Amino acid sequence: MKKVIGIVLASTACLAAFAQSGTNSPYSQFGLGTLSEQSSGFNRGMNGLGLGFHEGNQVNYLNPASYSRLDSLTFLFDAGLSLHLTNFAENGVRRNAKNANIEYVVAGFKVGKRLGFSFGLIPFTNVGYDYSSTNTLTSTSGNTTLTNTYNGTGSLRQAYLGAGWEPIKGLAVGANVSYMWGDIDRKFVNSYSDASVNTLTQQFTADIRTFKLDFGAQYTAKLSAQENVTLGVTFSPAHKIGGHPELKKILTNSQTSVSDTTSYGGGFDLSLPNTFGVGVMWSHNDKLKLGADYSLQQWANVQFPTFETVSGSSTFALRDNQFSDRHKITLGGEYCPSAFSRKFFNRIHYRAGVSYATPYIKVNGNDGPTEISASVGFGVPIINVFNNRSFLNVSAQWAHSSAKNFISENVFRISVGLTFNELWFSKWKLE
């Protein structure tokens, strides 16, 4: 119990670093931000594949039903971080950016023959951008420089507690209950070099504190003595998440610094969509595992606040047609020559995966960027005199996002996850 308390306190201590933004994308200025990679170290080597996977020595929170298959003799603690290198391109102009952040902290353990538990901190969305544009306006009085500045920060995170239960052999069900929290702050400044022209500032803020439910199930069928296949399904229901978004329009006289502020909104809630997932995993002799995942997020049914002025009357209210349904397909797998071999390289897990995803955001009424991505990874066993069950999961991912007439992004991501596998529940026997 002291070890469990220590791990919980260590996880809590990570919150300050965990809350930082994990993106530099200008597309994070729309909706709730860019959707995070919700996968742990071993999933990332397969580009996020995992709805049909159940591993005894890894925490797979993509499908909570998988907790029922955790090793009954161990306590798992998994933490991961990543480095992002991004190249932005538009009209022949290129810019580079980089950032690093803690991605997740999770743990899992078995409490009975068919019952497993997990808890941890995982990301949901990220907001992080800072850029500007300038134009020269020509008039009879001379040239005036117009500068538009855009910046935003924030993130949504989840602290979850989950359980997976296998009521009958081969069939497992599970659920995660999460507390979601985060702030989103976006600012747009319209300013002029002519001091006689007022500066316009728009500030969007939302403070989200809510709960979230995720359900999952897995069924494993044995095809032969060496082969089996697992079907996994997940579901997250749509619900309101609060936030009370507010927009402030501030007009500032550049000569006197006197400001006039008008506030809008604050009396309505943001929402999350229904999310459905289905995945399959085929395993041969527990060495070769291949799988496919499909997920659907019904963002088209979600309203989001926008500011509009019609016939001189201005409103900031929830409106339809702000998002599109998001579809994602992932293919991947892993191969381990021999998990219990005495040869080190035979115990390494080799992983790879590819994905295609449609956007959920709209930019000026047009669909945002589609994304194609690919990854390779390795699960390297940590072998010493104290422990031969822990793993170092390392992966490299390339992701390309693009939309017609908009900025394209190329992201190279290095992810490192360390899974501590402690032998806690074995009983000593005297002979």
Side-chain angles (χ1 to χ4, degrees), residues 37-53:
E37 287 280 348
Q38 287 198 307
S39 55
S40 57
F42 92 97
N43 302 102
R44 298 205 174 189
M46 300 179 288
N47 216 45
L49 184 73
L51 298 183
F53 279 67

mmCIF file with all atom_site columns, all heavy atoms in Angstrom, residues 37-53:
data_model
loop_
_atom_site.group_PDB
_atom_site.id
_atom_site.type_symbol
_atom_site.label_atom_id
_atom_site.label_alt_id
_atom_site.label_comp_id
_atom_site.label_asym_id
_atom_site.label_entity_id
_atom_site.label_seq_id
_atom_site.pdbx_PDB_ins_code
_atom_site.Cartn_x
_atom_site.Cartn_y
_atom_site.Cartn_z
_atom_site.occupancy
_atom_site.B_iso_or_equiv
_atom_site.pdbx_formal_charge
_atom_site.auth_seq_id
_atom_site.auth_comp_id
_atom_site.auth_asym_id
_atom_site.auth_atom_id
_atom_site.pdbx_PDB_model_num
ATOM 1   N N   . GLU A 1 37 ? -2.731  12.428 -28.937 1.00 0.00 ? 37 GLU A N   1
ATOM 2   C CA  . GLU A 1 37 ? -2.507  11.000 -29.125 1.00 0.00 ? 37 GLU A CA  1
ATOM 3   C C   . GLU A 1 37 ? -2.856  10.290 -27.817 1.00 0.00 ? 37 GLU A C   1
ATOM 4   O O   . GLU A 1 37 ? -2.106  10.343 -26.847 1.00 0.00 ? 37 GLU A O   1
ATOM 5   C CB  . GLU A 1 37 ? -1.050  10.736 -29.491 1.00 0.00 ? 37 GLU A CB  1
ATOM 6   C CG  . GLU A 1 37 ? -0.679  11.150 -30.888 1.00 0.00 ? 37 GLU A CG  1
ATOM 7   C CD  . GLU A 1 37 ? -1.119  10.123 -31.921 1.00 0.00 ? 37 GLU A CD  1
ATOM 8   O OE1 . GLU A 1 37 ? -1.502  9.015  -31.523 1.00 0.00 ? 37 GLU A OE1 1
ATOM 9   O OE2 . GLU A 1 37 ? -1.084  10.450 -33.113 1.00 0.00 ? 37 GLU A OE2 1
ATOM 10  N N   . GLN A 1 38 ? -4.011  9.644  -27.767 1.00 0.00 ? 38 GLN A N   1
ATOM 11  C CA  . GLN A 1 38 ? -4.415  8.969  -26.538 1.00 0.00 ? 38 GLN A CA  1
ATOM 12  C C   . GLN A 1 38 ? -3.950  7.520  -26.564 1.00 0.00 ? 38 GLN A C   1
ATOM 13  O O   . GLN A 1 38 ? -4.741  6.587  -26.700 1.00 0.00 ? 38 GLN A O   1
ATOM 14  C CB  . GLN A 1 38 ? -5.926  9.058  -26.361 1.00 0.00 ? 38 GLN A CB  1
ATOM 15  C CG  . GLN A 1 38 ? -6.392  10.457 -25.972 1.00 0.00 ? 38 GLN A CG  1
ATOM 16  C CD  . GLN A 1 38 ? -7.788  10.428 -25.376 1.00 0.00 ? 38 GLN A CD  1
ATOM 17  O OE1 . GLN A 1 38 ? -8.709  9.900  -25.962 1.00 0.00 ? 38 GLN A OE1 1
ATOM 18  N NE2 . GLN A 1 38 ? -7.933  11.007 -24.204 1.00 0.00 ? 38 GLN A NE2 1
ATOM 19  N N   . SER A 1 39 ? -2.665  7.345  -26.411 1.00 0.00 ? 39 SER A N   1
ATOM 20  C CA  . SER A 1 39 ? -2.097  6.004  -26.411 1.00 0.00 ? 39 SER A CA  1
ATOM 21  C C   . SER A 1 39 ? -0.837  6.007  -25.567 1.00 0.00 ? 39 SER A C   1
ATOM 22  O O   . SER A 1 39 ? -0.188  7.036  -25.381 1.00 0.00 ? 39 SER A O   1
ATOM 23  C CB  . SER A 1 39 ? -1.785  5.545  -27.844 1.00 0.00 ? 39 SER A CB  1
ATOM 24  O OG  . SER A 1 39 ? -0.953  6.476  -28.501 1.00 0.00 ? 39 SER A OG  1
ATOM 25  N N   . SER A 1 40 ? -0.497  4.840  -25.040 1.00 0.00 ? 40 SER A N   1
ATOM 26  C CA  . SER A 1 40 ? 0.698   4.720  -24.215 1.00 0.00 ? 40 SER A CA  1
ATOM 27  C C   . SER A 1 40 ? 1.882   4.266  -25.062 1.00 0.00 ? 40 SER A C   1
ATOM 28  O O   . SER A 1 40 ? 1.777   4.146  -26.284 1.00 0.00 ? 40 SER A O   1
ATOM 29  C CB  . SER A 1 40 ? 0.440   3.752  -23.059 1.00 0.00 ? 40 SER A CB  1
ATOM 30  O OG  . SER A 1 40 ? 0.031   2.497  -23.541 1.00 0.00 ? 40 SER A OG  1
ATOM 31  N N   . GLY A 1 41 ? 3.009   3.977  -24.420 1.00 0.00 ? 41 GLY A N   1
ATOM 32  C CA  . GLY A 1 41 ? 4.245   3.724  -25.138 1.00 0.00 ? 41 GLY A CA  1
ATOM 33  C C   . GLY A 1 41 ? 4.184   2.587  -26.124 1.00 0.00 ? 41 GLY A C   1
ATOM 34  O O   . GLY A 1 41 ? 4.652   2.695  -27.261 1.00 0.00 ? 41 GLY A O   1
ATOM 35  N N   . PHE A 1 42 ? 3.591   1.442  -25.732 1.00 0.00 ? 42 PHE A N   1
ATOM 36  C CA  . PHE A 1 42 ? 3.604   0.298  -26.639 1.00 0.00 ? 42 PHE A CA  1
ATOM 37  C C   . PHE A 1 42 ? 2.642   0.512  -27.811 1.00 0.00 ? 42 PHE A C   1
ATOM 38  O O   . PHE A 1 42 ? 2.892   0.059  -28.918 1.00 0.00 ? 42 PHE A O   1
ATOM 39  C CB  . PHE A 1 42 ? 3.293   -0.987 -25.859 1.00 0.00 ? 42 PHE A CB  1
ATOM 40  C CG  . PHE A 1 42 ? 1.847   -1.374 -25.816 1.00 0.00 ? 42 PHE A CG  1
ATOM 41  C CD1 . PHE A 1 42 ? 1.337   -2.308 -26.696 1.00 0.00 ? 42 PHE A CD1 1
ATOM 42  C CD2 . PHE A 1 42 ? 0.985   -0.809 -24.878 1.00 0.00 ? 42 PHE A CD2 1
ATOM 43  C CE1 . PHE A 1 42 ? -0.002  -2.688 -26.652 1.00 0.00 ? 42 PHE A CE1 1
ATOM 44  C CE2 . PHE A 1 42 ? -0.341  -1.180 -24.822 1.00 0.00 ? 42 PHE A CE2 1
ATOM 45  C CZ  . PHE A 1 42 ? -0.839  -2.124 -25.715 1.00 0.00 ? 42 PHE A CZ  1
ATOM 46  N N   . ASN A 1 43 ? 1.520   1.255  -27.596 1.00 0.00 ? 43 ASN A N   1
ATOM 47  C CA  . ASN A 1 43 ? 0.601   1.561  -28.693 1.00 0.00 ? 43 ASN A CA  1
ATOM 48  C C   . ASN A 1 43 ? 1.246   2.459  -29.734 1.00 0.00 ? 43 ASN A C   1
ATOM 49  O O   . ASN A 1 43 ? 0.986   2.333  -30.939 1.00 0.00 ? 43 ASN A O   1
ATOM 50  C CB  . ASN A 1 43 ? -0.659  2.266  -28.190 1.00 0.00 ? 43 ASN A CB  1
ATOM 51  C CG  . ASN A 1 43 ? -1.415  1.472  -27.149 1.00 0.00 ? 43 ASN A CG  1
ATOM 52  O OD1 . ASN A 1 43 ? -1.310  1.772  -25.973 1.00 0.00 ? 43 ASN A OD1 1
ATOM 53  N ND2 . ASN A 1 43 ? -2.158  0.467  -27.561 1.00 0.00 ? 43 ASN A ND2 1
ATOM 54  N N   . ARG A 1 44 ? 2.068   3.389  -29.294 1.00 0.00 ? 44 ARG A N   1
ATOM 55  C CA  . ARG A 1 44 ? 2.609   4.407  -30.199 1.00 0.00 ? 44 ARG A CA  1
ATOM 56  C C   . ARG A 1 44 ? 3.536   3.807  -31.240 1.00 0.00 ? 44 ARG A C   1
ATOM 57  O O   . ARG A 1 44 ? 3.663   4.338  -32.340 1.00 0.00 ? 44 ARG A O   1
ATOM 58  C CB  . ARG A 1 44 ? 3.320   5.489  -29.400 1.00 0.00 ? 44 ARG A CB  1
ATOM 59  C CG  . ARG A 1 44 ? 2.361   6.188  -28.471 1.00 0.00 ? 44 ARG A CG  1
ATOM 60  C CD  . ARG A 1 44 ? 2.762   7.568  -28.115 1.00 0.00 ? 44 ARG A CD  1
ATOM 61  N NE  . ARG A 1 44 ? 1.690   8.184  -27.340 1.00 0.00 ? 44 ARG A NE  1
ATOM 62  C CZ  . ARG A 1 44 ? 1.662   9.452  -27.017 1.00 0.00 ? 44 ARG A CZ  1
ATOM 63  N NH1 . ARG A 1 44 ? 2.630   10.246 -27.414 1.00 0.00 ? 44 ARG A NH1 1
ATOM 64  N NH2 . ARG A 1 44 ? 0.660   9.942  -26.314 1.00 0.00 ? 44 ARG A NH2 1
ATOM 65  N N   . GLY A 1 45 ? 4.198   2.723  -30.902 1.00 0.00 ? 45 GLY A N   1
ATOM 66  C CA  . GLY A 1 45 ? 5.006   2.061  -31.903 1.00 0.00 ? 45 GLY A CA  1
ATOM 67  C C   . GLY A 1 45 ? 4.175   1.518  -33.051 1.00 0.00 ? 45 GLY A C   1
ATOM 68  O O   . GLY A 1 45 ? 4.674   1.346  -34.163 1.00 0.00 ? 45 GLY A O   1
ATOM 69  N N   . MET A 1 46 ? 2.874   1.264  -32.785 1.00 0.00 ? 46 MET A N   1
ATOM 70  C CA  . MET A 1 46 ? 1.938   0.795  -33.807 1.00 0.00 ? 46 MET A CA  1
ATOM 71  C C   . MET A 1 46 ? 1.022   1.925  -34.255 1.00 0.00 ? 46 MET A C   1
ATOM 72  O O   . MET A 1 46 ? -0.083  1.700  -34.743 1.00 0.00 ? 46 MET A O   1
ATOM 73  C CB  . MET A 1 46 ? 1.117   -0.382 -33.269 1.00 0.00 ? 46 MET A CB  1
ATOM 74  C CG  . MET A 1 46 ? 1.959   -1.584 -32.866 1.00 0.00 ? 46 MET A CG  1
ATOM 75  S SD  . MET A 1 46 ? 0.970   -2.964 -32.186 1.00 0.00 ? 46 MET A SD  1
ATOM 76  C CE  . MET A 1 46 ? 0.519   -2.276 -30.579 1.00 0.00 ? 46 MET A CE  1
ATOM 77  N N   . ASN A 1 47 ? 1.457   3.163  -34.049 1.00 0.00 ? 47 ASN A N   1
ATOM 78  C CA  . ASN A 1 47 ? 0.742   4.367  -34.477 1.00 0.00 ? 47 ASN A CA  1
ATOM 79  C C   . ASN A 1 47 ? -0.617  4.537  -33.786 1.00 0.00 ? 47 ASN A C   1
ATOM 80  O O   . ASN A 1 47 ? -1.566  5.071  -34.349 1.00 0.00 ? 47 ASN A O   1
ATOM 81  C CB  . ASN A 1 47 ? 0.547   4.386  -35.987 1.00 0.00 ? 47 ASN A CB  1
ATOM 82  C CG  . ASN A 1 47 ? 0.645   5.794  -36.555 1.00 0.00 ? 47 ASN A CG  1
ATOM 83  O OD1 . ASN A 1 47 ? 1.540   6.557  -36.192 1.00 0.00 ? 47 ASN A OD1 1
ATOM 84  N ND2 . ASN A 1 47 ? -0.254  6.155  -37.449 1.00 0.00 ? 47 ASN A ND2 1
ATOM 85  N N   . GLY A 1 48 ? -0.693  4.074  -32.527 1.00 0.00 ? 48 GLY A N   1
ATOM 86  C CA  . GLY A 1 48 ? -1.911  4.245  -31.754 1.00 0.00 ? 48 GLY A CA  1
ATOM 87  C C   . GLY A 1 48 ? -2.877  3.081  -31.816 1.00 0.00 ? 48 GLY A C   1
ATOM 88  O O   . GLY A 1 48 ? -3.988  3.171  -31.285 1.00 0.00 ? 48 GLY A O   1
ATOM 89  N N   . LEU A 1 49 ? -2.494  1.978  -32.425 1.00 0.00 ? 49 LEU A N   1
ATOM 90  C CA  . LEU A 1 49 ? -3.352  0.800  -32.516 1.00 0.00 ? 49 LEU A CA  1
ATOM 91  C C   . LEU A 1 49 ? -3.548  0.184  -31.133 1.00 0.00 ? 49 LEU A C   1
ATOM 92  O O   . LEU A 1 49 ? -2.619  0.151  -30.338 1.00 0.00 ? 49 LEU A O   1
ATOM 93  C CB  . LEU A 1 49 ? -2.706  -0.218 -33.447 1.00 0.00 ? 49 LEU A CB  1
ATOM 94  C CG  . LEU A 1 49 ? -3.500  -1.481 -33.757 1.00 0.00 ? 49 LEU A CG  1
ATOM 95  C CD1 . LEU A 1 49 ? -4.654  -1.159 -34.698 1.00 0.00 ? 49 LEU A CD1 1
ATOM 96  C CD2 . LEU A 1 49 ? -2.582  -2.525 -34.385 1.00 0.00 ? 49 LEU A CD2 1
ATOM 97  N N   . GLY A 1 50 ? -4.772  -0.328 -30.840 1.00 0.00 ? 50 GLY A N   1
ATOM 98  C CA  . GLY A 1 50 ? -4.907  -0.976 -29.547 1.00 0.00 ? 50 GLY A CA  1
ATOM 99  C C   . GLY A 1 50 ? -6.293  -1.385 -29.105 1.00 0.00 ? 50 GLY A C   1
ATOM 100 O O   . GLY A 1 50 ? -6.436  -1.981 -28.037 1.00 0.00 ? 50 GLY A O   1
ATOM 101 N N   . LEU A 1 51 ? -7.356  -1.109 -29.851 1.00 0.00 ? 51 LEU A N   1
ATOM 102 C CA  . LEU A 1 51 ? -8.703  -1.419 -29.382 1.00 0.00 ? 51 LEU A CA  1
ATOM 103 C C   . LEU A 1 51 ? -8.929  -2.910 -29.195 1.00 0.00 ? 51 LEU A C   1
ATOM 104 O O   . LEU A 1 51 ? -9.743  -3.319 -28.369 1.00 0.00 ? 51 LEU A O   1
ATOM 105 C CB  . LEU A 1 51 ? -9.752  -0.856 -30.353 1.00 0.00 ? 51 LEU A CB  1
ATOM 106 C CG  . LEU A 1 51 ? -9.765  0.668  -30.515 1.00 0.00 ? 51 LEU A CG  1
ATOM 107 C CD1 . LEU A 1 51 ? -10.900 1.091  -31.438 1.00 0.00 ? 51 LEU A CD1 1
ATOM 108 C CD2 . LEU A 1 51 ? -9.886  1.356  -29.163 1.00 0.00 ? 51 LEU A CD2 1
ATOM 109 N N   . GLY A 1 52 ? -8.201  -3.734 -29.942 1.00 0.00 ? 52 GLY A N   1
ATOM 110 C CA  . GLY A 1 52 ? -8.341  -5.177 -29.809 1.00 0.00 ? 52 GLY A CA  1
ATOM 111 C C   . GLY A 1 52 ? -7.205  -5.840 -29.052 1.00 0.00 ? 52 GLY A C   1
ATOM 112 O O   . GLY A 1 52 ? -7.179  -7.064 -28.928 1.00 0.00 ? 52 GLY A O   1
ATOM 113 N N   . PHE A 1 53 ? -6.262  -5.051 -28.527 1.00 0.00 ? 53 PHE A N   1
ATOM 114 C CA  . PHE A 1 53 ? -5.079  -5.606 -27.871 1.00 0.00 ? 53 PHE A CA  1
ATOM 115 C C   . PHE A 1 53 ? -5.299  -5.716 -26.360 1.00 0.00 ? 53 PHE A C   1
ATOM 116 O O   . PHE A 1 53 ? -5.874  -4.840 -25.732 1.00 0.00 ? 53 PHE A O   1
ATOM 117 C CB  . PHE A 1 53 ? -3.853  -4.734 -28.141 1.00 0.00 ? 53 PHE A CB  1
ATOM 118 C CG  . PHE A 1 53 ? -3.219  -4.981 -29.482 1.00 0.00 ? 53 PHE A CG  1
ATOM 119 C CD1 . PHE A 1 53 ? -3.884  -4.643 -30.647 1.00 0.00 ? 53 PHE A CD1 1
ATOM 120 C CD2 . PHE A 1 53 ? -1.969  -5.555 -29.587 1.00 0.00 ? 53 PHE A CD2 1
ATOM 121 C CE1 . PHE A 1 53 ? -3.320  -4.871 -31.890 1.00 0.00 ? 53 PHE A CE1 1
ATOM 122 C CE2 . PHE A 1 53 ? -1.389  -5.802 -30.822 1.00 0.00 ? 53 PHE A CE2 1
ATOM 123 C CZ  . PHE A 1 53 ? -2.062  -5.445 -31.983 1.00 0.00 ? 53 PHE A CZ  1
#
